Amino acid sequence: MRVVILPESEAVAAFASQQIVDQVHRKPSSVLGLATGSSPLATYDALSRTCRQGAVSFSDVSTFNLDEYLGLGPDHPQSYRYFMNHRVFSGLDIDLAETHVPDGLCDEPFRACEAYENSIAEAGGIDLQLLGIGRNGHIGFNEPSSSLGSRTRVKTLSRDTVAANRRFFDEGEFQPTLALTMGIGTILDARKIVLLATGEAKSAAVKAMVEGPLTARCPASALQWHPDTTVIVDEPAARLLEDVQYYLRSEEGMQQLLFDDDG
Ligand code: GLP
C-alpha cells in the first residue's frame, strides 16, 4: 500500500486527479471506477478544469460507479446517478452512454447486480478505481461485516452510514436504507486503486485501513491485499497513523525513482 500524506485537502485533490489524468493518458479507453460523496468532489473539479484546458480527454473513457441507493431514480437529486450527471459528467467530454451507475429503480435487484458485474467484465475490467472511505471503514456501501470476497449485491446500510448521509436529505424526506453496491471482491479486481480521505473525522478509519488487521470489521482494510493501491490523505486524516515518518520517507524515495525514470 502506498500511503501519500499531504498537508491539506487541495493537495489531495491535485494528486488524485493527476493519477487519473496519467491513467487516461496511458490508456485513452480506460475503464474508470468512480465514487460519490464529498471526498472526491475537489478531484472531479480538478479533472473538469484539466479537461476544459484540453490537457486530457474522456471521450473514449467508460465508467462504472460503485453504488446507488435502492429506490432512488436518476431524477432524484440525492441519487448517485443524479450527482454524477450534474456534478461530474457535465464537466467532462465523456459520452454519457458509456457511464454506468447501478439502477436504483430496477425491478429485480438481484438480477441487476449480476448484470452489473457482467457489464464490468464485458468492458474488460476496471483499470483504475477511485474510492472514498466511510467513517466506519466502509468502501462503496460495503459495511463492516461485508464478505471480503463479495460481489455486487444489495446491502443494508448501517445506522452510522444512514446518520452520516442524513445531511444530504431534507427533513422528513425518504432516506433509503438499502443500496446496490459493488462488492469488496469486485473492487479488489480493479487493476489500480486510488483512495482519498480528508479531515479528522476519517482518521480512525484511515488508521484501521492502513495499520489495523485485515478484517471485515473494517472493509477498507481489504485493500492491504491489493497489489496497487495508493491511499492519499491530508494531515488531519493521517493524525492517528503510527508510522507517518516511514510513509513520508517511502514517498520521497518513490518521487525520486519516478523523477529518475522521467529524466
Ligand atoms: C458514502 C459512499 C461511499 C463514500 C463514503 C464517504 O456512503 N457510499 O462511496 O466513500 O460514504 O463519503 P464522504 O466522502 O461524503 O465522506
Side-chain angles (χ1 to χ4, degrees):
M1 198 180 258
R2 179 178 174 194
V3 181
V4 182
I5 303 172
L6 297 166
E8 75 281 302
S9 59
E10 291 77 14
V12 170
F15 196 103
S17 66
Q18 192 57 50
Q19 297 282 307
I20 297 170
V21 167
D22 288 348
Q23 170 65 43
V24 175
H25 283 162
R26 273 195 304 274
K27 182 180 173 190
S29 62
S30 286
V31 180
L32 301 180
L34 298 179
T36 49
S38 353
S39 306
L41 267 182
T43 300
Y44 290 136
D45 289 343
L47 283 180
S48 150
R49 282 194 298 276
T50 314
C51 186
R52 264 203 315 274
Q53 289 157 2
V56 68
S57 171
F58 292 83
S59 56
D60 287 333
V61 163
S62 55
T63 65
F64 287 87
N65 263 75
L66 282 167
D67 45 16
E68 178 62 284
Y69 288 115
L70 192 57
L72 299 194
D75 296 330
H76 192 292
Q78 302 315 331
S79 75
Y80 286 169
R81 169 50 92 176
Y82 187 95
F83 172 95
M84 292 307 294
N85 284 0
H86 295 269
R87 199 58 187 73
V88 183
F89 297 141
S90 56
L92 305 176
D93 62 342
I94 198 162
D95 178 359
L96 265 191
E98 295 301 323
T99 67
H100 307 83
V101 180
D103 179 5
L105 291 183
C106 55
D107 289 333
E108 296 179 275
F110 297 107
R111 279 222 187 122
C113 291
E114 211 179 307
Y116 202 66
E117 284 280 328
N118 291 340
S119 327
I120 296 173
E122 276 160 27
I126 291 172
D127 292 302
L128 183 152
Q129 176 68 55
L130 185 66
L131 293 175
I133 183 170
R135 286 185 303 197
N136 63 2
H138 74 212
I139 45 177
F141 271 132
N142 293 285
E143 299 287 28
S145 84
S146 289
S147 157
L148 301 184
S150 50
R151 312 301 307 186
T152 303
R153 69 209 183 295
V154 177
K155 275 303 282 183
T156 301
L157 307 186
S158 71
R159 278 173 204 254
D160 281 354
T161 299
V162 172
N165 289 347
R166 188 160 295 140
R167 67 191 195 277
F168 298 113
F169 292 82
D170 289 337
E171 216 181 304
E173 190 181 9
F174 165 69
Q175 184 184 357
T177 54
L178 293 176
L180 307 166
T181 181
M182 280 187 201
I184 298 177
T186 320
I187 293 170
L188 290 177
D189 281 350
R191 293 177 190 97
K192 187 174 178 63
I193 294 178
V194 173
L195 182 144
L196 319 172
T198 56
E200 193 164 355
K202 299 293 172 70
S203 57
V206 167
K207 159 89 179 146
M209 163 177 65
V210 176
E211 295 178 341
L214 198 164
T215 166
R217 292 298 300 160
C218 174
S221 68
L223 301 176
Q224 293 175 19
W225 192 249
H226 190 271
D228 188 357
T229 289
T230 303
V231 170
I232 312 168
V233 293
D234 64 0
E235 281 171 4
R239 199 178 67 85
L240 297 177
L241 291 175
E242 277 168 36
D243 284 333
V244 169
Q245 289 313 319
Y246 176 73
Y247 307 133
L248 292 173
R249 274 198 299 116
S250 302
E251 193 49 27
E252 256 177 50
M254 174 67 96
Q255 290 303 337
Q256 190 59 49
L257 279 175
L258 292 172
F259 182 76
D260 289 350
D261 215 35
D262 275 357

